[in-house]
Amino acid sequence: MLLIRCPWCGMDRPEIEFRHAGAAHITRPGPPDRVSDEEWAAFLYLRDNPKGRVAERWRHVHGCGRFFNAVRDTVTDVFVVTYKAGEPRPPETGPGESQPTEARP
Amino acid sequence: MVDGFADTSRFRLVEAPPLARFVLRAPDTALKAAGKAYGLALPEALNHGASHGERGKPGARVALHLGPDEWWLIVPEAEGPDVAAALESALGSHPHSLVNVSHRQVGYVLEGEGAAGLLNAGCPLDLSEAAFPPGMATRSLFHRVGLMIWRMAPGLFRLEIDRSLAPYFVAALAEAAKDHS
Amino acid sequence: MTAFRSPAGGRIDRSKPIRFTFDGRQMHGHAGDTLASALLANGVHLVGRSFKYHRPRGILSAGPEEPNALVTIDRGGGRETPNLRATQVELYEGLVARSQNRLPGLRFDIGGINNAFSRFLGAGFYYKTFMGPQALGGAKLWARLFEPAIRRAAGLGRAPAGPDPDRYANRFAHCEVLVIGGGEAGLAEALRRSEDPACRVILCDEQAEFGGWMLVEAPERADEMVKALSARPNVTMLRRSQAFGAYAQNFVAIAQQLTDPLATTDAEAPCERLWQVRAGEVVLASGAIERPLVFPDNDRPGILLAGAAETYLRRYGVLPGRKIVILTACDTAYGAAFALQDAGAEIVAIAETRAAPGAGDIAARALARGIPVLPGTTILGTTGHLRVSSVRLGRIRPDGEAEPSGGFTADTVLMSGGWTPSIHLFSQTKGKLRWEEGLGAYLPALPAPGQAIRVIGAAAGEMPAGMRSPALGALPVAGSPDRVKAFVDFQNDVTARDLRLATREGFRSIEHVKRYTTTGMATDQGKTSNLNSLGIVAAETGRSVPEIGLTTFRAPYTPVTFGLFAGQARGDLFDPVRRTPMHDWAERNGAVFEDVGTWKRAHYFLPRRPVDATASGHAAMHEAVQAECRKVREAVGLFDASTLGKIEFVGPDAAEFLERAYVNPVKGLAVGRCRYALLLNEAGFIIDDGIIARLAQDRFHVTTTTGGAARVFGMFEDYLQTEWPDLKVWQTSVTEHWAVIAVQGPRSREIIADLVEGIELSDAAFPHMAVREGRITGTPCRLFRVSFTGELGYEINIPAGLALPLWEKLAERAAEFGGGPYGTEAMHVLRAEKGYIIVAQDTDGTMTPEDMGLGWAIGKKKPDFIGKRGLMRPDLTASGRKQLVGLVAEDRSRVLEEGAQIVPDILAPAGSHAIGHVTSAYSSAALGHGIALAVIEDGRNRIGQLLHIPMERETIAVRVVEPVFLDPEGARLHG
Ligand SMILES: [Zn+2]
């Protein structure tokens, strides 16, 4: 079980208190009549699936209840940083390649 | 005492009497006014609880800061309407939300030197006094259900669980107690 | 005194004899014995049959690495555990142990016939046979001949059939330091770290006693260290506790055996406990495992690891045999030789695979004791049916082959190929390893990012020179190495020949060799075999071991019971069961419940009069539901709607938020009024529905479906916090605060009228789709004039703790009026008669409001709402989409099947495109015939058409009709 630092609580808390909530920094385009079908489809369905650092949303649902963002490495599972919803991704956190590790057969 | 729950010298589970409960959502700017009207300053630090008086006795007040803009206020059942009215009038000029949730939850006291250890059968938090000192209050989990844990003293926890999940919680705690006798 | 028990010594309690049985045979041991040591004390080496060839197998080791001695322990009353390692099973009075994988008995096993055919069961046999050319009948041969026979013969113990009567517990624990392994290094580390009283130390060891190898060599010192640790309150000592999994951020799972076999235990107490430990630092002191040597016929009972033999002698007071030959590649075997000789055994010879025996004067000391030491010598073969009886020796020539050099009779062979550090847990955390040539083993190099894990002692390669040996792989043989069976993986019956064959067939990566030969894939995960496998593949392919790679270490380190993972989550505690305040009343009144999410809801009520014994359950339900529907339509029905999700929105921007969230216009909703509301996802599809009620300018009471409550609340929280954080509005779940009693039917107003205070109930003052706050029987309530039945109706929201008395009073009154309670099935029928949809029954996540005939609900002038842009997508506005319609079978009594597919042509061949399907189907009491809702392509234009539903035995003709079957004008709503 991972530990995740909730930027609102200021504490490391066990993973099972949290819910993953998809990719972070996705802007809902609008207003509707100015959004192309392509733009809307991208908003609905198109997501990156990088090997390495990814910015994603989490909610401390069994804690303070708040949504926040996290930069996590999809290879090592290490949380690089967490920050409050609405704040920009810290520039030093990537996007970057993680250190290579052996393939997991 | 709660039915089906083995009472030992190391811990005891007692169900709370009926209480009036409110969820107050408000920005920090409303805190002073709210505390004044409530008769107890609302704790500013997140995940902290404050109280005065004895649970269920006249004048008793509890304020738990559980989310950045979320406080739970718990008072004797009979005082609920007056407390709500006082808060609404004091907060009139501040945007806020005050909602009566008196029956949403069931309250318990779990006390005894084995209380923290028993909670750790299903709660993943570090419940040592250093990591979870008296005064700390937070939502967390016990096995499959969410609950609110407020440590009032080293061996004294107040817990709040959603009404329909309370029977599961008590049964799960009783089952865990078989590993703690 | 049992035959092989030494007269003195060891840590067993000789004053406490213990009786046990093995395969029905009565034997004796002592307190402190393991099953393995007690069996050896009784002269029993043969404990099992091997997996594939059913060869007789004996006890190889004295620890968790044991590949052979797997037994079933039967504690009676369904407490039967297969596949336990006899080397780890503590002896207790009356223990019943059975050997496994033998047919019909251990000493005579017909499965041994596989041994005779072993040439055909070599590496990749399974794959080759299965994939073999059809001409040779590959797949067919497999299915008909090989698989059934092999499945019967191969395998481990049998899983018990009955429910497990034992309890399993769980604990989350936190500490500054977790020390895994209670040998000398671990104990010393725990002592050092726990000097700081603020440092919480947890120390775990898989054995019943701490001390590790010290229990063999220096038990007094172990006792002292354990005593000192036990006195420290900041130290938690977990005996019989196997750390089996190590995960990210210093999280370790430990399986602790709680049943002390020697103590009388509380029947209520759990037998195992899962520790989920979060440590500041993990210190791995897991020691090292001795490697077997790979020589022909190295698997006979009586052939065991030298360190294990020394352990049995010095810790348990057991001689594994009396006439012993030793084959070794390192010095530690000499210690075993000397101790056994001192205990009275004859050490026939020490065969040294090394050209020059080890460090210092060790060989000289052996010679001085009269033990011949034969350098550069190996074993070319052994004999003995169920136990080794002789060995043939061979001199190793410089060219790498061996030539016969005599032999000995012996009842025991001890072997030592060196020691492999136990780095499994370090590797599980993805720590980097480095190859140490001098040890013939991998060592921990660099912890993975975020891991505070340190490896100490033998596990880190800190071993005296006498333990170190670079020897790996198969020993030289005389003649072709392919003509002998030299076992590498004892548990999966993989020989050196199998591994060579795999490399000859082109397998290079050890991961592929592993899968092809199954080496290292048994329940012991190759603890004694992995490095020898690597050595063989390296030698065969002319590469170094690191070039071949290393297989992945995975949890669990040793097998863990399913019960431990299930923990408390079984029976009533498997998942929370949520009950409404009216549950007990419903139960007393014949309710049959159905699961809706985690809620129990009354499905229908079986009348208390005796049900016709010939009527099936289905008929009884049909009758009950019809009666409930009639009561609602003709008098009054009570329905427990407490499980509906309820959210209170408060704040100056509450209306603005709901206006953006739901498809409906909300800002214009007057205080005191309600609106049926539809919720979409951003794709434009219906995901929930409910009622929005305006209690005040800045306060709304919103309902959701029962199943959608948590999801919808979470979705709103997302929009509130991250999409529109500028809006000044908050939501609070009041699902559990309010119980809801729906009172529906023409007499509903009458039965509540005199109970309600402060609310004028006339149709004019309190019309359909209105809400009021007041009191009922003196209790504050929120009263809704809403209907999901098409009848005049109310929904009373009352604080949950006060709901039952009101329900009881209303039930009494309803009965007086010829009404009564109705369940969710009647509710479904009643709403279907009105064409009201149920989200997730009539919709499937791809339906729009327009599809469902609910386009009227959309606020057309709103600039935006969740799903508005989605609804504009071409696919969602295209013609020919499926639309909600009603269906009535031409045979009107017919009740269709939900999910049935619909085609336009009565002669449509199987596999034709279906233009829609039935979503809801019931027998309508009010109409006296079957009704159905369906979604059909271009459905509204097909009203009046005859369509067809092909079923298994017939095709049903159905007429498409309007989806509102009853009172389309809504006159009944306004009674
Ligand atoms: Zn938090």
Side-chain angles (χ1 to χ4, degrees), chain C residues 203-498:
Chain C
L203 171 67
C204 68
D205 192 280
E206 41 93 11
Q207 301 208 16
E209 284 190 281
F210 288 100
W213 185 253
M214 274 195 293
L215 295 172
V216 173
E217 215 164 58
E220 303 78 17
R221 195 145 52 87
D223 290 343
E224 269 168 40
M225 293 172 90
V226 169
K227 199 173 153 201
L229 273 175
S230 309
R232 293 188 182 164
N234 54 327
V235 178
T236 305
M237 302 178 74
L238 306 179
R239 297 183 303 154
R240 303 184 175 96
S241 298
Q242 180 76 63
F244 66 82
Y247 307 90
Q249 292 163 304
N250 316 324
F251 192 69
V252 176
I254 300 171
Q256 183 180 24
Q257 306 296 317
L258 294 171
T259 314
D260 183 343
L262 299 178
T264 47
T265 46
D266 176 1
E268 292 271 272
C271 69
E272 289 181 38
R273 183 190 292 141
L274 174 64
W275 288 84
Q276 304 191 55
V277 180
R278 176 78 63 187
E281 183 186 358
V282 175
V283 179
L284 191 60
S286 44
I289 291 173
E290 197 167 20
R291 283 197 292 271
L293 289 166
V294 183
F295 58 88
D297 305 328
N298 60 343
D299 66 328
R300 289 192 203 283
I303 302 178
L304 63 163
L305 294 166
E310 189 174 352
T311 301
Y312 285 121
L313 176 67
R314 296 176 72 179
R315 184 165 164 194
Y316 299 100
V318 174
L319 279 156
R322 304 214 180 278
K323 204 166 162 58
I324 300 170
V325 170
I326 294 174
L327 181 66
T328 187
C330 78
D331 293 353
T332 51
Y334 286 80
F338 300 164
L340 285 159
Q341 189 186 44
D342 293 343
E346 180 194 347
I347 308 299
V348 180
I350 297 177
E352 267 281 5
T353 63
R354 299 175 289 189
D361 63 348
I362 194 104
R365 281 164 53 203
L367 292 169
R369 283 167 162 265
I371 304 172
V373 177
L374 314 171
T377 300
T378 185
I379 294 178
L380 295 178
T382 67
T383 62
H385 176 40
L386 300 176
R387 166 109 189 231
V388 65
S389 60
S390 80
V391 301
R392 285 183 292 115
L393 298 178
R395 199 167 7 256
I396 301 171
R397 294 197 313 237
D399 66 1
E401 286 203 21
E403 59 195 17
S405 61
F408 296 105
T409 61
D411 65 0
T412 303
V413 175
L414 306 185
M415 57 184 165
S416 178
W419 296 78
T420 306
S422 293
I423 50 160
H424 308 72
L425 293 173
F426 177 82
S427 182
Q428 281 181 22
T429 65
K430 300 186 192 168
K432 286 215 182 347
L433 304 173
R434 66 180 173 84
W435 175 247
E436 173 88 356
E437 191 68 40
L439 269 180
Y442 281 96
L443 287 178
L446 193 68
Q451 298 295 127
I453 183 165
R454 203 153 55 81
V455 188
I456 62 169
E462 293 158 16
M463 295 191 255
M467 285 176 80
R468 304 168 79 93
S469 160
L472 284 184
L475 288 164
V477 298
S480 165
D482 289 347
R483 301 189 68 84
V484 299
K485 269 202 205 83
F487 284 87
V488 178
D489 181 330
F490 291 93
Q491 203 185 341
N492 261 358
D493 265 353
V494 181
T495 64
R497 175 182 173 269
D498 294 329

Side-chain angles (χ1 to χ4, degrees), chain A residues 6-11 13 18 60 63-66 68, chain B residues 46-47 66:
Chain A
C6 173
W8 297 93
C9 290
M11 299 167 81
R13 300 280 290 247
F18 297 84
H60 194 188
C64 66
R66 303 305 288 188
F68 61 90
Chain B
L46 180 57
N47 295 327
L66 300 178

Side-chain angles (χ1 to χ4, degrees), chain A residues 1 28 37 57 67 105, chain C residues 278 554 682 718 721 869:
Chain A
M1 180 168 32
R28 181 177 184 266
D37 286 335
R57 305 181 330 125
F67 282 85
Chain C
R278 176 78 63 187
R554 291 202 177 85
E682 291 286 16
D718 196 349
Q721 289 186 33
R869 182 61 187 82

Side-chain angles (χ1 to χ4, degrees), chain A residues 1-3 16 21 28 32-33 35-37 40 43-45 57 59 65-67 75-76 78 85 99-105, chain C residues 172 248-249 251 278 430 432 449 511 515 552 554 682-683 714 717-718 721-724 863-866 868-870 872-874:
Chain A
M1 180 168 32
L2 298 173
L3 281 178
I16 53 177
R28 181 177 184 266
D33 49 9
V35 182
S36 71
D37 286 335
W40 193 252
F43 163 69
L44 287 181
Y45 301 119
R57 305 181 330 125
R59 183 180 174 214
R66 303 305 288 188
F67 282 85
V75 176
T76 61
V78 170
Q99 293 180 332
T101 58
E102 291 94 297
R104 285 171 63 88
Chain C
F172 292 99
Q249 292 163 304
F251 192 69
R278 176 78 63 187
K430 300 186 192 168
K432 286 215 182 347
E511 290 288 359
R515 278 156 185 76
T552 310
R554 291 202 177 85
E682 291 286 16
E717 202 56 40
D718 196 349
Q721 289 186 33
T722 70
E723 201 56 52
W724 304 312
D864 196 3
F865 57 84
I866 298 171
K868 180 177 171 80
R869 182 61 187 82
M872 295 157 61
R873 290 189 293 157

